[in-house]
Amino acid sequence: SGDAVVISGRKLARQIRQEARHEVQQWVAAGNRRPHLSVVLVGENPASHSYVLNKTKAAADVGISSETILRPASISEEELLELIAKLNRDTAVDGLLVQLPLPEHIDERRVCNAVSPHKDVDGFHVLNVGRMCLDQDSMLPATPRGVWEIIQRTGGSC
């Protein structure tokens, strides 16, 4: 039927967070290290700062530890790539995201591809984008993943 369905995003978000919190608790209870997210934030973009704060709050809410690494907008591309390489090598870092947009002198595609595909929580690495397009197991970008969850949980058919 063509009837519109009203969906409570807040209610779904609460439900998903509760499930994630339970999974993290089980993971830690089984003797595993608590998952850790590192977020790299370059410059003073207020929207970016707000997004990152929301991400780290959401992580804390489900029991994931996180850190926000602030760097000035004047950072060179090489310095940023060195920082990413260091975080890629750090076994205590499970997830890594570099908040976009980046200053104009930095090549965003190069930076996204520098993040290890295994730690790429944004799903922006070219390997993860390709795997997603081929319907293979990959990290999905948060917004489309969220939309997909809403469709699945509310019985929408595709």
Side-chain angles (χ1 to χ4, degrees):
S1 72
D3 293 343
V5 176
V6 177
I7 297 165
S8 169
R10 281 203 175 90
K11 191 173 161 190
L12 272 175
R14 261 200 313 274
Q15 186 186 338
I16 292 167
R17 279 199 185 169
Q18 201 171 344
E19 290 167 17
R21 192 178 304 122
H22 182 66
E23 280 183 45
V24 172
Q25 281 168 351
Q26 285 186 311
W27 174 257
V28 174
N32 297 296
R33 185 177 49 73
R34 186 172 298 284
H36 181 78
L37 171 68
S38 291
V39 183
V40 177
L41 181 51
V42 179
E44 298 298 326
N45 181 328
S48 291
H49 279 259
S50 174
Y51 285 137
V52 166
L53 186 60
N54 288 335
K55 288 172 187 177
T56 54
K57 274 183 180 170
D61 185 43
V62 299
I64 294 172
S65 69
S66 69
E67 64 176 336
T68 303
I69 302 166
L70 299 169
R71 289 295 180 268
S74 59
I75 191 173
S76 73
E77 187 174 299
E78 287 313 310
E79 284 174 304
L80 183 56
L81 292 170
E82 278 169 29
L83 172 60
I84 292 167
K86 183 177 143 253
L87 295 166
N88 282 339
R89 288 189 305 269
D90 188 340
T91 55
V93 175
D94 301 292
L96 171 56
L97 71 85
V98 180
Q99 182 63 45
L100 303 180
L102 291 168
E104 290 201 357
H105 66 279
I106 296 175
D107 180 344
E108 284 187 356
R109 177 42 49 207
R110 196 168 168 216
V111 167
C112 288
N113 286 342
V115 174
S116 164
H118 307 291
K119 296 187 180 191
D120 172 29
V121 294
D122 271 332
F124 290 165
H125 188 285
V126 69
L127 285 181
N128 283 326
V129 173
R131 291 179 67 85
M132 178 184 65
C133 293
L134 294 169
D135 205 18
Q136 296 177 354
D137 191 39
S138 66
M139 291 282 208
L140 292 175
T143 303
R145 174 67 195 268
V147 171
W148 183 239
E149 278 291 321
I150 290 168
I151 291 168
Q152 287 186 308
R153 287 168 184 258
T154 55
S157 57
C158 283

